[in-house]
Structure formats: structure tokens, C-alpha cells
Amino acid sequence: MTNNFLTTIKSLKLIEGCKAAQLYALGSVGTSSTSGSGDAGGSGRPQPPPPPKAISMRQGSLYYPHAAPSTSGAFAPEPHLPCGLPVADALEPALDACLRPVDHVAALAASYRRVSAATAGGDDDLCDAYLEQHALFQSMGDARLLRRALRAARVHADDPHRRAVLAAWLRYERREDELDPAPPPLAPCTATTPLLECPRAAVFASVSSGVDPVCPCRRPPPPPATPPPHRLRRNTSGAASEMSEEEEPETNDLWFIIGEEEVACERSCIAALSKPLNTLLYGGFAEAHRDRIDFSRDGITPRGMRAVAAYSRHGRVDDFPANIISQLLAFANKFCCEGLKAACDNMLAAMVRGVDDAHSLIDIGLEEASHLLVASCLQAFLRELPKSLTNPDIARLLCSPEGRECLDIAGNASFALYYFLSDVAMEQDMKSNTTVMLLERLNECAELQWQKQLALHQLGCVMLARGEFEDAQEWFEAAVAEGHVYSLAGEARAKYKRGHKYAAYKLMNSVVGEYDEPAGWMYQERSLYCVGKEKLADLQSATELDPTMTYPYKYRACALLEEDNAASAIAEMSKVIGFKMATDCLELRAWFYLALEEYELAVQDIRVILTLDPTYMMFHGRMHGEQLIELLRGQVQQWDMADCWMQLYDRWSAVDDIGSLAVVQQMLAREPGNSSLRFRQSLLLLRLNCQKAAMRSLRYARNSSLHEHEKLVYEGWILYDSGHRDEALAKAEQSIRLQRSFEAFFLKAYALGDSSLDTESSLSVVQLLEHANSCASDNLRKGQAYNNMGSIYVDCDMLDEAAECYGIALNIKHTRAHQGLARVHYLKNRKQAAFDEMTKLVQIATNSASAYEKRSEYVMLHFFVILPVLMDESKEEEAIGELSGAIAFKPDLQLLHLRAAFFDSMGDRASTLRDCEAALCLDPTHGDTLELYSKASTRAEPES
């Protein structure tokens, strides 16, 4: 059977055709936020991927774009694996195209202080302060933190332009355009549309803060105005606005001659429109003594002038069509009529109801520098991203220097705009000319230091990816000059690409030596330019300081494989997969499994890869994962749906996240329209911190659901996971009104429980979970409900009830309840029992790839065992060392709070304040940290 499989592989001639840059391409550059949660990012609505088409395997060199077929050295041919194996020295880590401070904690603390200072001083730069937090959070890869920063920036945006940009960005993050049917981009919002994303609220907010408590779309229309006495009446069509002969005449003492027509006006009303007109009609000009003035050369038609006359008397433009209002706008600009310009700007902006309207009105808006109109048109384009960037006219406006200048004149060019646009462009195609131009515009708009650092560093990353190494080096050097130390890694990389390996080594060696506590990435970068034991020592130091970096594991794994130690190579890759679900790491491990002919495990990893990114191509872009699974079909055991459900139950209970994902993917291959399976897939992905992939699965679930009450639940989870708790709660209540279901009650309970509740409110959440368990569901979900009940009872200090709920959850194999039960034991001062419970969980969860759960287990073990012992023995410094080791590679709220408490007990006020500020940057509402920060601040004041 094995020989048949190998014959099939050989028939595809993979060894002649594997070429791409997906896994180990030299010069690969990416952001940390995209690894492990690959999202196709297209503009179409998400649908389950179709079966892969047959593709040619007969062209291109092997593995690396720059390599010749016979001399690349990037692979080692294997007699039973024609696609070969990767070679360690051909690997290269990606550069993070984002801000990466040397000291994350200090940077977060400084950001929190800037936000606090801006809030206390009532400054108008709060929006920029929160955008800086967004940039800092990029390197942490936490989508929830990123969305929270964007929401805060939107709340504090004080002008229509930035409100429109940030509202569109928030909508883009939810990928609402991928829902089926997708709501029009500028459609009036519904009762469950997030207020911060409302297009009308963005442009027409009636409060200075930019967040109207009542959405304009939901505000009742004003009553019709009562016409004043002797009011000039206009045609219902609004075509000409002339007065009928039967109506009472207005006082006319001035006529404007346009061509062969005369337009009757009232001199005092026209003069009141602006100071220039007042001077013209009542000053020392000849026109002041005439009752007929020739306006034939002033660029306005008779109909337009009649509209001016009507506005001068009654102050309204809402009865006129767009072409007449455009003439009024030009007239207002020419004669400095501010009131008329504002009225026209508002009216034309309100007429933009879609991209077509925006196309037709953007030119007049730019020509007349109409702030609201251009903002409204820009909003329409932004809400169609990334599709709108493929339109030549829109791309010219958004990408070119001339377009930026036009937008700037209209008050609609900002760092926020190009930050959003460049982020989208880099996600679509990092090497494109569009990306380069948008980053150049971003750099032109950068004013603050962090803005310059970000723009310059990203330009360097893009040029490096494009192979323009000299330009890349210049951009990186400019970023370093602005104070971004991490850009030194890019500078060294560019020097190396230009053939200056020793210069690159010297640069990174000086960086490592400059800091008392070097960061992990410094050792990783230096390792690229040395060999042998020195290289391995640097890689080991990098891993110790930052276990989430993938390159050291990949290099060591390939090196082990070259030594014919495949089992150790697989074990090495499994270590990093335990921290980070990255598609390239999974592919490499699958490759190793294939080399060992461990086809079941190889297929399992391939299925997880396809879950993270359905478009992923194996073997450097030349074979879709589904094709490889099909080729391996005869080598692995085939399960029917009943078998799959049993496997899923066992693996879910064993906290085998990778196995669970693989089983769900196999089930979805049989039933791609099964919305329930898609939803379970999203739950697993969220647990694994693959939030983009999880959101995509939720959209798949929503689009494939046949029942309205189910769609509402999935829409609710999309809103909740995007940070819109109240709107998610409203979706849950709508679903319950249609049909009582486990998931609707669970969503409502989850949304209500995500806030500080008193005991009575908390118990009402328990009641909702009991309602959920009374509805039809399976033990996988019921166990989660009982686990959540236990957590609520613990918060209410009802420990016996909590223990009972955790016990029920464990009886139906909800293994994670061990952690909750450990917490109960600890609160009852049974520390050994707490430790035993956590040990059971760690022993069972042998294949959990959840970085968050791993960190949670780490915290719980330290909290229950190590830290209390160190506290009892007054070993604060040792405890701080334990915490600092975990904080170094990724700041965590709970760990920062614990370390701040230790610093406080030691009397180190500065370190206490710093850790509290960093923790509050991650969660400004964390009650325990706020209390500690207040106490530490009070004690620090007398000392200062």
C-alpha cells in the first residue's frame, strides 16, 4: 500500500515543480498578528472552499524562488519522499512589520500614562493616543486588544473624517461584507448594528465627543416645518424653485442678469450671506448703486441663482437636487458664504448612499474642499475595502501624492486614514506597488515619533520583501534614527542580503551587548550571521527569552532531521506548536511525519492547516492540502460521521485541540453546510487564539444556517467577539423570542456575565445557564455551561455550589473543570488538593495547543503552589523572577498584577506603578489593579 502511495506521489513529479514562498522563502516578512490564524482576507463572502482543481506540477525550480533546480541546496532528496526535506541553513525568520519595543512593559506603561494625561487635560489627541496603543498591541497578536484600541480611538475621534475612517476600520475587522446577504456599506443601521460603526453617526454626529448616544438612523424624523408667512414656495420636484404668479410676491429690489434671464432677489438678504457680498452691494463699488448686476461670467446658471435667492430668504437647501446644490457650493466658496457652504456640504454628504453616489460627488467635494462631502465619499470607498483599491480612480485618489494633497485640502488626509489603508494593503499583498504608495503617504502624514517609526519600519519591511535591499536599508536606518531599535534587525538583514554578512553580524552583536537584558529577537537575529555552536547558543537564548518565536524551533528541528533524528525533530516542532498555532510550523511537522511514514499524524496536521487557512498550499505553494489528503486516503483509517462524533467527544474531553480541529475539518469535508460544526470549529479556534480564523468560521456558520434563530446566535457571537457586548445581547434576546435554544441562552448568559455583577445579577446568569441546559444539546456544550456556573458561584463566594457544578462537568468529561475545582480547593485553603487538580489537567492536556490555556495553567500552578510558598518564605525576589520570565515574552494582565503586588510588598513604588500602568493599558477596568495603583500612587506622592 505504501509503495502505491509513493508511486502516486512520484507521478505528480513534485520534485520538478515545488516552487513558492510560503514556508521557508528567504526574505519572508510578516506581522506577528497574522501567524496561526490565516484569513483569506478577500472581499467576497465566505463560503466553504470548493474541491481543489488539478494543478500542474511540471514547472519551476524546487522550493525557493531564487534557486536553480539542481543547485538550490534547499532540500535533501529522500528516496521515499520525492519532494525532499527542508535544510536548516535555508530557513529564515520573518520580520515583524510592526512596532516592537525592547521593553514591552515600559512601553505599555508609558502609553497608559499618555492616555491618562490626555484624558485629565481634556486634550484632543486621545484618538492618536489610542491609535498608538493599537500599534503597540500589533506585536502581541491579540485581536481583542487591537479591536478595543480601535473602539477607543473611534470614541475619542473629534472630527467627521477620523470618525468615518475608524468606523470603517471597525466594520472591516468584522468582515460584515462577507455575510450573505451582505448589508450595503452605507445602509442605515439596525437595532443591533454597533453604534461606533454607524456611517451616519460617523459623519453627522451631533455631539462634540463623536459618539451620539442615539444613533441618527434610529432618531425619529423631525416634524415638518410650518411655512412662515409670505414664504416663497418651490416646485415639489425641486427643479427650478420659482415662485408662482398667484402667490404673494417677495420684496425684490435687485436683479442678477445671467445670459438673457433676470433673477429677482432681495439686496439685504443677498448681502447678509457674506462680508464680500455685503461689501459688493453696500460698499464703494458701482454695483452698490445698480439694481441690475451682470453675473453671466460668475459660473452660475439662472436656476442656481434662483436657489441662492431662495436660500438667502429662507435658509434652506433641502428642496434642491444635487446639481443645483453643487452650484450653490461653488457660489458659496467664491463669495465666502460660510453658512451656505455648510448647508450645501451637509446636504450633499447626506446624499451619498453608496459607492456610485460617492463616485459622482467626490470630484465636486474635492474641487470645493467640502469637508463633510469628501468624508462621506471616502467612507463609502473605505467600506468597500479591499475591493475599492482595485478601482483605478479610487486607487489614484488614495495612493498618489496628488490624491493625498487634494484630500488634505478638504481636511480628509490623516495618519489614521493611511494607517488603515496600508494595513489592508499589506494584508492583501505586501509586495504590491499599492502597498508601497500607501506606506509613502503614511510616512508623509506621520508627525509623532511613534508614527514615523511605524511608517519607516514598514517601508523597510516591504522593500525587503520586494528584494530592493538598498532602499530597505535606508528606510530601516531612518526608523532607527527615530528611535525604533527593532529596525536594526531589518538594517542587518538588508546588509546581509547585499552581501555584507560581517557588517550584519557586527551590528547585531553590538545590539546584544548594548542591553543588560537583551530581548529574544536580538539573539535570533544575531544567529543568522554565525554558524555552529555559536548559532545554536544564540537560538537557545532566543527561545529562553521568548518561547513564541518559531524560527529557533524550525532550525533546530531541521538540523535534527539532517542528523537522521526525525523523532526529536518532531518533538522540537511540537514544542512551539504548543505555544503558537502557525501554519508553517504545522506544515513542517506534517512534512516530518510524511518522512517517517506516519500518515495519520501527517493528515491530522494538514487538516488543521486547512482549518486555519482553507487556501493554504503545501510544498511551497504547489499542492493544495485537500489534494495531499486525497493522495494519503489509502494510508489512513476512514471514519463515518458516527465515528467522527465519537472521536470528537474523546479528543475534546482530552483537551486535544489539534485532534479536535482535525476531526471537525474531516466532518465538514463531508457536510460543508453544517452550521453547527462550523460553530464548534470557531469555539476551538478561539480557544487556540486563532481569532481571525474563528471569525471566518462564525461567518461560514451564519451563512450556511437554515434557521433564523441560529443565524441570530452566530451574528451575536460575531458581535461579541468583536467587542460589541450590548449588540450581542440584543441578538441573543431576538433569537430566544423566536425559539428557545441552548446556544441562545448560553450567548445571553455569556454576554451578561462579561461585566462586574453583584451577587443577584450573577445568580440570574446562572439561571440563564440552567435554561440553556434544559434545552437540547450534547455533553460537550452542557459541560461548558456547568463549568461557567461554577465560575460564577466562585465569584459569589458560594464554593460548595461551585464544587458541585465542577463535579457535574467532570462527570460528563469536561476536563477543563479541573482548573475551576482547583480554584475552589485553594480558596478553601486546601493547597495540595488544588495542586493535584491542576496536575490532573496538565497531565490530561498533553496535546493542547492553546497558548492562552497554557499560560493560564502556568499562572494557576504558580498561584496555587510556587508563589504562595515564596510569599510564605519571604522570597519576593525569587517570585518576581518566576513572573518576569513569563512576562518577558508576552505581557499578561494577571502576571503583571501579581508582580506589581510583589513589588509593592517590597516597597518598590516605581516598579509597582510601572507594572500597574502596563496592566491597565491591557485592561483599564481591572478592579484589583486599579485599587493597587491608587494606593501606590498615593504613597508615591509624598516621596516625590
Side-chain angles (χ1 to χ4, degrees), residues 100 156 204 306 320 371 374 401-402 520 584 606 820 825 837 929:
R100 185 159 187 167
H156 293 94
F204 303 105
R306 291 188 184 96
F320 304 123
H371 180 59
V374 174
E402 298 78 13
D584 58 342
I606 295 166
H825 288 313
E837 285 295 332
T929 304

Side-chain angles (χ1 to χ4, degrees), residues 79-124:
H80 66 289
L81 193 64
C83 56
L85 292 168
V87 171
D89 289 336
L91 305 179
E92 183 174 325
L95 278 175
D96 291 339
C98 58
L99 294 183
R100 185 159 187 167
V102 175
D103 187 342
H104 271 289
V105 175
L108 292 173
S111 176
Y112 177 77
R113 289 194 298 272
R114 279 191 287 274
V115 169
S116 299
T119 303
D123 295 345
D124 59 357

Side-chain angles (χ1 to χ4, degrees), residues 95 157 161 230 292 319 324 347 431 460 739 761 841 855 862:
L95 278 175
H161 163 71
H230 310 300
R292 282 173 169 75
D319 291 339
I324 297 299
M347 195 64 205
K431 301 178 183 179
Q739 182 171 322
S761 300
L841 176 58
R855 193 155 62 250
H862 278 67

Side-chain angles (χ1 to χ4, degrees), residues 644-661 663-664 667 676-687 743 746 778-785 809 812-817 841 844-845 848 853:
C644 286
W645 275 111
M646 292 178 63
Q647 290 289 331
L648 177 60
Y649 185 81
D650 291 341
R651 296 182 187 209
W652 192 296
S653 301
V655 201
D656 180 1
D657 300 318
I658 289 178
S660 298
L661 273 179
V663 173
V664 171
M667 296 168 80
S676 176
L677 283 174
R678 289 285 178 190
F679 177 60
R680 291 174 189 277
Q681 186 181 64
S682 74
L683 296 176
L684 282 165
L685 289 167
L686 281 174
R687 182 184 300 157
E743 296 300 347
F746 191 90
D778 56 65
N779 284 344
L780 296 178
R781 297 297 286 143
K782 288 181 183 290
Q784 183 66 62
I812 54 178
K813 294 190 176 181
H814 188 79
T815 309
R816 289 172 178 84
L841 176 58
I844 294 172
S848 171
E853 284 204 327

Side-chain angles (χ1 to χ4, degrees), residues 232-531:
L232 180 65
R233 302 185 69 83
R234 290 182 277 275
N235 291 346
T236 56
S237 65
S241 305
E242 297 97 337
M243 179 182 65
S244 301
E245 294 182 0
E246 294 80 9
E247 294 175 327
E248 182 178 347
E250 300 281 355
T251 302
N252 298 322
D253 55 0
L254 178 65
W255 288 262
F256 289 96
I257 301 172
I258 303 173
E260 298 180 356
E261 296 190 46
E262 293 185 353
V263 178
C265 301
E266 188 170 346
R267 182 181 294 267
S268 61
C269 293
I270 297 295
L273 291 177
S274 70
K275 189 172 182 179
L277 285 173
N278 184 72
T279 303
L280 176 71
L281 298 178
Y282 287 106
F285 294 95
E287 285 81 359
H289 306 287
R290 297 175 181 169
D291 57 5
R292 282 173 169 75
I293 301 174
D294 189 358
F295 259 31
S296 298
R297 298 179 181 178
D298 284 274
I300 192 167
T301 65
R303 291 176 62 191
M305 197 63 216
R306 291 188 184 96
V308 172
Y311 175 82
S312 71
R313 290 180 170 121
H314 310 303
R316 293 181 59 189
V317 298
D318 52 327
D319 291 339
F320 304 123
N323 63 325
I324 297 299
I325 298 177
S326 298
Q327 291 188 46
L328 292 179
L329 182 60
F331 180 92
N333 267 334
K334 185 170 187 177
F335 292 100
C336 304
C337 307
E338 295 301 326
L340 176 58
K341 180 176 181 178
C344 293
D345 195 8
N346 271 280
M347 195 64 205
L348 287 172
M351 291 180 176
V352 179
R353 296 183 174 87
V355 175
D356 291 340
D357 295 330
H359 272 295
S360 63
L361 292 172
I362 186 65
D363 288 337
I364 183 66
L366 293 171
E367 184 178 343
E368 303 300 338
S370 297
H371 180 59
L372 283 185
L373 174 56
V374 174
S376 195
C377 293
L378 190 60
Q379 179 172 235
F381 301 149
L382 296 178
R383 287 172 172 253
E384 286 283 295
L385 286 173
K387 183 173 67 175
S388 54
L389 284 176
T390 63
N391 182 293
D393 294 331
I394 298 176
R396 193 177 305 113
L397 172 66
L398 298 178
C399 301
S400 69
E402 298 78 13
R404 189 195 72 82
E405 184 177 349
C406 290
L407 290 172
D408 192 30
I409 292 171
N412 278 274
S414 67
F415 183 86
L417 170 65
Y418 291 104
Y419 186 19
F420 175 28
L421 288 169
S422 60
D423 188 70
V424 173
M426 291 176 71
E427 184 179 321
Q428 296 300 306
D429 182 0
M430 194 163 184
K431 301 178 183 179
S432 70
N433 291 334
T434 297
T435 300
V436 174
M437 289 189 289
L438 287 172
L439 285 173
E440 289 173 344
R441 305 292 82 75
L442 181 72
N443 187 41
E444 292 166 0
C445 291
E447 297 178 354
L448 304 175
Q449 185 182 42
W450 72 267
Q451 296 174 345
K452 295 175 183 177
Q453 290 177 359
L454 179 65
L456 294 167
H457 178 73
Q458 289 186 333
L459 276 164
C461 290
V462 168
M463 291 303 177
L464 191 68
R466 287 162 62 96
E468 300 175 28
F469 304 128
E470 185 174 356
D471 289 342
Q473 183 176 333
E474 291 177 359
W475 288 118
F476 283 129
E477 288 172 346
V480 172
E482 290 294 335
H484 191 232
V485 177
Y486 180 64
S487 292
L488 286 167
E491 182 184 342
R493 200 80 67 92
K495 287 182 177 181
Y496 175 70
K497 296 294 186 183
R498 297 177 66 194
H500 308 304
K501 182 176 181 179
Y502 182 63
Y505 174 81
K506 279 183 63 178
L507 179 59
M508 290 314 303
N509 192 51
S510 66
V511 174
V512 172
E514 184 177 345
Y515 291 89
D516 294 333
E517 297 181 1
W521 62 264
M522 297 177 184
Y523 286 104
Q524 175 177 276
E525 291 299 317
R526 190 174 69 175
S527 75
L528 299 176
Y529 316 119
C530 52
V531 295

Side-chain angles (χ1 to χ4, degrees), residues 513-669:
E514 184 177 345
Y515 291 89
D516 294 333
E517 297 181 1
W521 62 264
M522 297 177 184
Y523 286 104
Q524 175 177 276
E525 291 299 317
R526 190 174 69 175
S527 75
L528 299 176
Y529 316 119
C530 52
V531 295
K533 292 182 179 179
E534 186 180 356
K535 184 184 189 80
L536 292 174
D538 274 355
L539 290 174
Q540 185 59 36
S541 297
T543 298
E544 290 172 358
L545 291 169
D546 186 351
T548 65
M549 292 190 301
T550 61
Y551 169 73
Y553 299 93
K554 289 157 63 174
Y555 182 89
R556 288 191 293 262
C558 289
L560 287 166
L561 196 70
E562 291 169 7
E563 297 172 359
D564 293 328
N565 195 345
S568 296
I570 290 171
E572 186 69 21
M573 291 312 303
S574 297
K575 292 177 186 176
V576 69
I577 291 170
F579 279 104
K580 179 181 284 188
M581 285 282 287
T583 50
D584 58 342
C585 294
L586 286 163
E587 181 182 2
L588 187 56
R589 190 171 72 173
W591 211 332
F592 295 162
Y593 281 136
L594 287 175
L596 289 177
E597 302 182 27
E598 295 282 355
Y599 300 125
E600 293 276 1
L601 294 171
V603 167
Q604 176 174 276
D605 280 356
I606 295 166
R607 290 193 182 280
V608 177
I609 291 169
L610 292 174
T611 301
L612 297 173
D613 183 359
T615 66
Y616 197 87
M617 303 292 288
M618 304 288 293
F619 302 131
H620 295 283
R622 287 301 177 187
M623 176 179 279
H624 193 279
E626 291 287 1
Q627 286 180 297
L628 186 53
I629 290 174
E630 184 61 29
L631 288 173
L632 293 167
R633 184 180 181 86
Q635 312 299 313
V636 298
Q637 184 177 358
Q638 300 300 311
W639 298 327
D640 59 23
M641 288 298 286
D643 294 329
C644 286
W645 275 111
M646 292 178 63
Q647 290 289 331
L648 177 60
Y649 185 81
D650 291 341
R651 296 182 187 209
W652 192 296
S653 301
V655 201
D656 180 1
D657 300 318
I658 289 178
S660 298
L661 273 179
V663 173
V664 171
Q665 197 277 341
Q666 181 175 351
M667 296 168 80
L668 284 168

